[in-house]
Amino acid sequence: MEQGNECELLIVGGGPAGYAAALYGARASLDTVVLEQGMPGGQIATSDEIDNYPGIPHIGGAEIGQRMQEHAEEAGARTVYGMATAISPAEIGFSVQLGDRSITAGAVVAAMGATPRPGGFEGEDAFRGRGVSYCATCDGMFYRGKRVFVIGGGNTAVEEALYLSRIADRVTMVVRRDEFRASRGAVQRLGERGNIDVRLLTSIVRIEGQTFIERIAFRDNRTGEVSVEAFDPGSVGIFVATGQVPQTELVSGLVDLAPDGGIVTDDAMATRTPGLFAAGDIRSKGLRQVVTAAADGAIAATSAYRYLEGRL
Ligand SMILES: Cc1cc2nc3c(=O)[nH]c(=O)nc-3n(C[C@H](O)[C@H](O)[C@H](O)COP(=O)(O)OP(=O)(O)OC[C@H]3O[C@@H](n4cnc5c(N)ncnc54)[C@H](O)[C@@H]3O)c2cc1C
């Protein structure tokens, strides 16, 4: 870090939540640092196109991430590259460890995001963004009039299937067990749509194709038998809806966690530890998107400013 190992506001994670927090922190004249372990932009940096951020249609994921970083830095925030390995309360504020050095900060925003739980089938990584998706709200539009499979049996998977049923021609839910984990009410709603069918005791084990998915291998979990179905290239998508894993390890002793694994905050994004705020996908929340992450970040930094002023 150029100006010593201290700052007023340290944001761990340079995704949309982190850089929105940095923008608001810097504009409030706080000495603001973003600590990022990889490429700024977070999850969105790996996405070809973001089409649902208000006012900025058809923008590349990497580009919007870069613009968020530039905007925050123009306002005076700094980025430090490195992975936080520990966050602990210090005499004043917090000490954040990265490698063999540490940064102390008056307040911290935890914005380390979440990672989608993988579906665990062969070919999953190779077809990510080319037929395999983890978010119907993000990518559903690319499957208008097409055939989609949704993997998972929880409430999230049912929500994804219902959302996709308004866009895709046909939606098939692929459920590993012999029943849904989702609530009965949610499952009943599936039956109200004419284009959703369900395959219980079934797993996708492999996908194959040239550029796009052309073959999907399904396993019958009762018999172990594997059968392969063929599709026209570009006509089919797989939505993995087996859950998100919020990256909370670094702060697990300082925060309360909700049943979905996310951090519990109040409306000010405050956690149960004074001076520690959480923003974005790392929180327990119903909609994990760029727009909600950015909103959380703005609120968290504003609350951190009030906290540092002794007004929160
Ligand atoms: C393929 C894909 C497509 C998507 N498409 C859309 C879309 O079209 N529209 C939309 O609104 N949303 C989309 N999303 C969801 C959106 O990307 C997330 O909701 C959003 O990025 C969450 O922002 P965040 O800042 O909370 O977390 P993240 O984006 O996850 O950022 C967290 C950052 O923290 C860093 N970090 C984690 N741990 C540490 C550590 N220990 N030390 C330092 N840095 C750390 C990570 O490297 C990462 O950069 C998509 C997600 C994916 C995966």
Side-chain angles (χ1 to χ4, degrees):
M1 193 163 50
E2 293 147 39
Q3 297 164 27
N5 286 334
E6 294 176 357
C7 62
E8 289 175 294
L9 176 60
L10 180 65
I11 297 147
V12 186
Y19 277 112
L23 176 66
Y24 277 70
R27 284 169 63 96
S29 285
L30 295 177
D31 179 18
T32 301
V33 168
V34 176
L35 178 59
E36 169 55 47
Q37 65 183 1
M39 182 155 129
Q43 292 168 62
I44 209 65
T46 63
S47 182
D48 283 348
E49 188 171 285
I50 306 303
D51 212 13
N52 58 1
Y53 194 84
I56 318 182
H58 319 302
I59 186 166
E63 189 187 346
I64 197 172
Q66 192 185 342
R67 282 168 66 168
M68 285 184 179
Q69 179 185 17
E70 284 167 3
H71 195 177
E73 291 183 352
E74 247 174 55
R78 289 171 289 141
T79 301
V80 170
Y81 292 96
M83 180 194 283
T85 51
I87 300 177
S88 46
E91 211 171 309
I92 301 172
F94 295 86
S95 171
V96 176
Q97 199 71 34
L98 61 151
D100 53 7
R101 67 189 180 114
S102 60
I103 302 176
T104 55
V108 167
V109 175
M112 290 89 83
T115 50
R117 191 170 284 127
F121 49 89
E122 209 179 303
E124 181 173 0
D125 287 340
F127 287 93
R128 209 178 245 247
R130 288 186 294 121
V132 175
S133 170
Y134 299 83
C135 172
T137 318
C138 310
D139 299 332
M141 288 290 282
F142 302 124
Y143 294 90
R144 186 165 294 288
K146 298 183 181 177
R147 175 81 193 275
V148 298
F149 292 88
V150 176
I151 300 178
N155 282 320
T156 307
V158 170
E159 281 301 328
E160 298 279 88
L162 290 167
Y163 183 92
L164 288 164
S165 71
R166 291 184 179 275
I167 300 168
D169 178 46
R170 187 171 155 205
V171 179
T172 300
M173 293 199 71
V174 180
V175 183
R176 184 165 52 97
R177 304 194 308 176
D178 62 353
E179 59 180 3
F180 281 92
R181 268 183 302 108
S183 66
R184 188 176 302 181
V187 176
Q188 266 168 4
R189 287 173 61 207
L190 291 174
E192 292 163 13
R193 303 284 163 86
N195 61 345
I196 303 180
D197 61 288
V198 177
R199 295 186 190 178
L200 294 176
L201 281 166
T202 304
S203 297
I204 290 178
V205 289
R206 191 173 64 249
I207 54 175
E208 296 167 336
Q210 291 282 330
T211 310
F212 296 104
I213 300 170
E214 293 173 44
R215 286 173 300 284
I216 303 179
F218 297 90
R219 184 181 59 221
D220 181 326
N221 291 333
R222 238 173 325 223
T223 62
E225 197 179 310
V226 173
S227 55
V228 177
E229 288 176 34
F231 301 90
D232 290 334
S235 71
V236 66
I238 297 175
F239 285 80
V240 180
T242 46
Q244 294 268 335
V245 186
Q247 301 298 298
T248 58
E249 300 96 291
L250 289 182
V251 290
S252 57
L254 304 172
V255 300
D256 291 325
L257 296 179
D260 69 359
I263 296 175
V264 176
T265 68
D266 64 13
D267 287 352
M269 305 298 144
T271 69
R272 74 165 151 80
T273 298
L276 177 62
F277 301 85
D281 280 13
I282 198 169
R283 290 178 59 229
S284 174
K285 64 196 302 191
L287 183 64
R288 290 192 164 97
Q289 289 280 278
V290 175
V291 69
T292 59
D296 286 0
I299 296 169
T302 306
S303 301
Y305 165 76
R306 292 196 183 122
Y307 169 80
L308 290 166
E309 292 252 296
R311 291 192 285 117
L312 188 79

